[in-house]
Amino acid sequence: MTSIDSIDTQSGGISERAGTVLAAEVRQEDLVRLRMALGRLGRMLRQQSDEELPHALIALLFAIHRAEPVTAKALAESEGVTPPAVTRSLSRLEALQLITREEVPTDRRVQEIRLSAKGNSVRESTLHQREIWLTEHLARLSAEELSNLVAALPALERLTGFPARS
């Protein structure tokens, strides 16, 4: 059993400071492989889009969809960027007619942001392209590999903060 809290950046190994006990030993090489595989998979999925929008704007469309109606301030906080950066991106999305903004009646300084029909169409098209890519690539796996991958979903969902499904 290995107790880890974080990766020890000095030695490149697993830190044994106070932390959570893992159910199985995790080798440094496996942590690196997992990080790299998940990073590559995420990048490859993000590249799957027929739209000519930069990734940052597509990511913002998805963030708006998850939280709508949402304010620019809430988007900046959730995406970890500055309010001016979000404002610039929102202006680009609005110019492309992918979002709508409405003043909040109780505070005219605040605007609620929603996806327009066109913005939702772009989001759905992007999801569809990603699903096509993923389906084509999953078809390369053996039945056992696919079963192992599906069995790992609850753990991967917990790692990303999404609740696991039964």
Side-chain angles (χ1 to χ4, degrees):
M1 298 286 239
T2 304
S3 174
I4 68 169
D5 179 55
S6 63
I7 300 299
D8 181 344
T9 55
Q10 300 266 322
S11 66
I14 298 173
S15 171
E16 293 203 20
R17 289 177 266 160
T20 311
V21 176
L22 297 177
E25 185 153 329
V26 178
R27 297 177 312 166
Q28 177 67 26
E29 303 84 41
D30 292 334
L31 288 173
V32 170
R33 287 177 60 210
L34 180 61
R35 177 182 49 80
M36 292 185 71
L38 292 176
R40 277 193 305 266
L41 182 59
R43 274 189 304 281
M44 293 170 91
L45 280 170
R46 284 189 301 271
Q47 293 169 354
Q48 305 311 308
S49 175
D50 287 340
E51 305 303 323
E52 299 207 8
L53 289 175
H55 165 69
L57 293 183
I58 290 176
L60 196 54
L61 284 178
F62 280 88
I64 293 166
H65 174 76
R66 282 189 303 272
E68 67 184 332
V70 64
T71 65
K73 180 180 178 182
L75 276 173
E77 289 171 0
S78 74
E79 298 304 296
V81 295
T82 64
V86 166
T87 300
R88 283 190 301 275
S89 294
L90 289 173
S91 293
R92 290 179 67 192
L93 291 174
E94 188 175 35
L96 294 168
Q97 300 177 334
L98 299 176
I99 63 166
T100 61
R101 299 192 216 203
E102 287 183 27
E103 287 182 353
V104 174
T106 57
D107 186 349
R108 297 173 56 111
R109 297 169 296 166
V110 178
Q111 295 179 331
E112 288 183 332
I113 300 152
R114 290 182 172 81
L115 293 183
S116 66
K118 183 178 177 183
N120 200 48
S121 177
V122 167
R123 186 191 66 81
E124 288 178 3
S125 172
T126 300
L127 281 176
H128 182 70
Q129 290 301 315
R130 290 174 180 179
E131 288 171 1
I132 288 171
W133 182 91
L134 189 56
T135 300
E136 289 171 352
H137 285 75
L138 288 174
R140 298 177 182 173
L141 301 179
S142 69
E144 181 181 2
E145 289 171 322
L146 192 53
S147 178
N148 290 339
L149 188 58
V150 170
L153 286 174
L156 292 171
E157 289 168 336
R158 280 201 343 257
L159 284 175
T160 60
F162 288 102
R165 296 181 186 178
S166 333

